[in-house]
């Protein structure tokens, strides 16, 4: 199997793990939140004890990262395929939790499609727990999706899409009404309903200024779409999964808006400061890394976790509640295609190893 991509510049080192972002720490302090100290001299004098920053039981993967191997037909590549073999390999690597991105594999493996009950047995046989799913969230099919989630033993049910793609408050209000209703239904069955962001969710609402021909606002108060949704979604019933990569893409892309008087305003989005005041509304995270690449439209190019420039050490330390949060590795671009069918599982192994090296020091 080909070796996974590595670069000397991006390889994790103990020094890099302890190098917290001074800018983020300063912003936290200015906002009145506690700032954890990393790399303290007391570490070397033995006064602090080292613990995994992401507890082993909370290290997960969304199967979208290895979708090529979940969906592969039996072949002679020697690379695992289908749920039984791929999940066994992920458990061997060390993953404890699985987030689903569909429940189908290649029909030729069994001569039919696998069932949720059969997937649950594979999870149990490998000591794995289903911690969530990306599925369609709508009123028509929600009870059916809850049935599948219960069969798989999930505690969370969610989607990879935003509650709405609109830039207007009334549409986000309507989405909040629906999600509050569905979240209430999920809670009755012991699950938390969550939504997952891409960068557009942290763009600015159009909620001020002159109206267009359709009677819609054309300017902004500077309110970000998903942060407005925070205020409308009931915290008892609606939760969030932050995609860390897409949040930093939002920081890169969505910095300016035009206010109601036509002035250009700058507002720098900080993913850490978004989570800290409401950390327990974020039970799940996508731990997705990226190399800085300013020439790219997104500002980053996806990489295996720990091989890019996102400071997961700083992020997971500052948001706190380490035992509550679940980190699911994702890399949309992990599959290597026919030329390298083992790439996604190689990246899964590399990313798990780097996630497990993240360390916090406590008294």
């Amino acid at each position: 199997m080909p070796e996974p991509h590595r670069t000397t510049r991006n390889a994790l080192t103990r020094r890099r793990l302890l190098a917290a972002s001074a800018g983020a720490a300063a912003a936290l302090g200015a906002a009145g939140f506690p700032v954890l100290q990393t790399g303290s001299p007391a570490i070397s004098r033995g006064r602090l004890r080292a613990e995994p920053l992401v507890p082993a039981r909370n290290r997960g993967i969304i199967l979208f990262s290895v979708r090529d191997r979940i969906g592969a037909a039996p072949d002679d590549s020697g690379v695992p395929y289908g749920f039984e073999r791929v999940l066994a390999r992920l458990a061997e690597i060390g993953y404890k939790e699985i987030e689903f991105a569909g429940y189908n594999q290649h029909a030729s493996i069994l001569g039919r499609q696998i069932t949720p009950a059969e997937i649950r047995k594979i999870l149990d046989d490998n000591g794995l727990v289903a911690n969530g799913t990306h599925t369609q969230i709508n009123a028509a099919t929600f009870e059916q999706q809850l049935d599948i989630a219960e069969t798989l033993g999930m505690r969370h049910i969610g989607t990879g899409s935003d509650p709405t793609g609109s830039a207007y408050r009334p549409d986000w209000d309507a989405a909040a009404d629906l999600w509050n209703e569905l979240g209430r239904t999920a809670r009755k069955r012991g699950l938390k309903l969550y939504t997952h962001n891409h960068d557009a969710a942290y763009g600015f609402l159009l909620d001020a200024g002159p109206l267009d021909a359709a009677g819609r606002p054309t300017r902004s108060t500077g309110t970000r779409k998903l942060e407005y949704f925070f205020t409308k979604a009931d915290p008892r019933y609606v939760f969030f999964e932050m995609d860390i990569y897409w949040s930093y893409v939002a920081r890169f892309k969505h910095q300016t808006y035009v206010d109601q008087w036509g002035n250009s305003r700058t507002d720098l989005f900080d993913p850490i400061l978004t989570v800290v005041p409401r950390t327990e509304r974020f039970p799940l995270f996508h731990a997705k890394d990226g190399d800085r690449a300013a020439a790219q439209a997104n500002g980053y190019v996806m990489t295996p976790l720990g091989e890019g420039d996102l400071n997961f050490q700083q992020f997971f330390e500052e948001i706190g509640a380490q035992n509550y949060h679940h980190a699911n590795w994702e890399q949309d671009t992990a599959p290597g295609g026919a030329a390298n069918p083992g790439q996604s599982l190689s990246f899964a192994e590399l990313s798990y190893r780097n996630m497990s090296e993240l360390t916090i020091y406590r008294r």
Side-chain angles (χ1 to χ4, degrees), residues 89 127 146 152 173 175 200 211 231 264 276 312 329 355:
R89 175 60 185 141
L146 287 172
L152 292 171
D173 290 338
L211 304 181
T231 69
S264 180
V276 167
F312 292 98
W329 171 66
M355 186 188 297

Side-chain angles (χ1 to χ4, degrees), residues 164 166-177 205-207 215-217 228:
T164 175
S166 173
Y168 305 105
R169 284 180 187 255
D171 296 321
W172 285 91
D173 290 338
D177 290 341
L205 283 171
L206 294 177
D207 58 349
R216 298 171 301 188
Y228 176 71

Side-chain angles (χ1 to χ4, degrees), residues 230-296:
F230 292 156
T231 69
K232 296 297 181 179
D234 192 318
R236 297 172 296 176
Y237 307 131
V238 181
F239 297 84
F240 302 90
E241 176 183 66
M242 176 176 277
D243 187 304
I244 299 171
Y245 171 89
W246 287 116
S247 297
Y248 279 93
V249 169
R251 179 181 176 88
F252 173 81
K253 290 175 65 175
H254 305 297
Q255 298 187 12
T256 61
Y257 64 93
V258 178
D259 69 17
Q260 60 183 317
W261 299 283
N263 302 310
S264 180
R265 302 286 186 183
T266 298
D267 179 78
L268 190 61
F269 174 64
D270 192 318
I272 293 175
L273 292 179
T274 294
V275 176
V276 167
R278 53 183 74 85
T279 190
E280 293 198 358
R281 293 195 76 180
F282 288 86
L284 304 173
F285 293 87
H286 273 190
K288 182 191 302 180
D289 207 347
D291 272 329
R292 284 195 184 93
Q296 299 290 324

Side-chain angles (χ1 to χ4, degrees), residues 1 16 25 52 57 62 67 80 82 98 134 137 142 170 173 180 193 195 227 260 262 265 302 311 338 342:
M1 183 181 301
R16 183 168 175 243
R57 65 182 177 278
I62 181 168
R67 62 193 180 277
I98 301 295
H134 281 195
I137 300 297
F142 194 56
D173 290 338
N180 286 338
L193 175 64
T195 181
E227 292 186 338
Q260 60 183 317
R265 302 286 186 183
M302 294 179 193
N311 194 332

Side-chain angles (χ1 to χ4, degrees), residues 117-360:
E118 289 169 329
I119 297 174
R120 173 63 184 270
K121 185 177 187 306
I122 295 169
L123 290 170
D124 292 345
D125 288 349
N126 287 283
L128 296 168
V129 174
N131 71 10
T133 183
H134 281 195
T135 188
Q136 295 296 317
I137 300 297
N138 58 66
T141 63
F142 194 56
E143 291 287 355
Q144 178 186 5
Q145 292 301 323
L146 287 172
D147 291 342
I148 295 171
E150 284 190 345
T151 297
L152 292 171
M154 292 178 192
R155 295 183 180 178
H156 311 91
I157 183 169
T159 178
S161 303
D162 296 324
T164 175
S166 173
Y168 305 105
R169 284 180 187 255
D171 296 321
W172 285 91
D173 290 338
D177 290 341
L178 173 62
W179 278 69
N180 286 338
E181 177 185 347
L182 297 180
R184 188 178 296 108
T185 299
R187 181 175 175 177
K188 289 177 181 176
R189 297 179 63 170
L191 287 95
K192 292 179 178 177
L193 175 64
Y194 67 93
T195 181
H196 170 92
N197 68 278
H198 293 88
D199 71 279
Y202 287 114
F204 298 101
L205 283 171
L206 294 177
D207 58 349
L211 304 181
D212 64 15
R216 298 171 301 188
T218 58
R219 297 175 184 170
S220 182
T221 62
T223 303
R224 296 181 185 273
K225 291 179 278 189
L226 196 58
E227 292 186 338
Y228 176 71
F229 188 73
F230 292 156
T231 69
K232 296 297 181 179
D234 192 318
R236 297 172 296 176
Y237 307 131
V238 181
F239 297 84
F240 302 90
E241 176 183 66
M242 176 176 277
D243 187 304
I244 299 171
Y245 171 89
W246 287 116
S247 297
Y248 279 93
V249 169
R251 179 181 176 88
F252 173 81
K253 290 175 65 175
H254 305 297
Q255 298 187 12
T256 61
Y257 64 93
V258 178
D259 69 17
Q260 60 183 317
W261 299 283
N263 302 310
S264 180
R265 302 286 186 183
T266 298
D267 179 78
L268 190 61
F269 174 64
D270 192 318
I272 293 175
L273 292 179
T274 294
V275 176
V276 167
R278 53 183 74 85
T279 190
E280 293 198 358
R281 293 195 76 180
F282 288 86
L284 304 173
F285 293 87
H286 273 190
K288 182 191 302 180
D289 207 347
D291 272 329
R292 284 195 184 93
Q296 299 290 324
N298 289 328
Y300 295 87
V301 175
M302 294 179 193
T303 69
L305 191 148
E307 301 298 291
D309 293 305
L310 298 186
N311 194 332
F312 292 98
Q313 178 73 29
Q314 174 77 4
F315 185 91
F316 282 113
E317 274 202 52
E318 299 298 356
I319 65 172
Q322 279 80 24
N323 290 320
Y324 175 76
H325 295 132
H326 302 259
N328 293 324
W329 171 66
E330 183 182 38
Q331 184 180 339
D332 305 20
T333 58
N340 189 358
Q343 178 173 282
S344 62
L345 285 170
S346 292
F347 283 0
E349 182 175 8
L350 172 60
S351 296
Y352 180 84
R353 183 165 64 246
N354 286 342
M355 186 188 297
S356 69
E357 289 179 359
L358 295 169
T359 304
I360 188 170

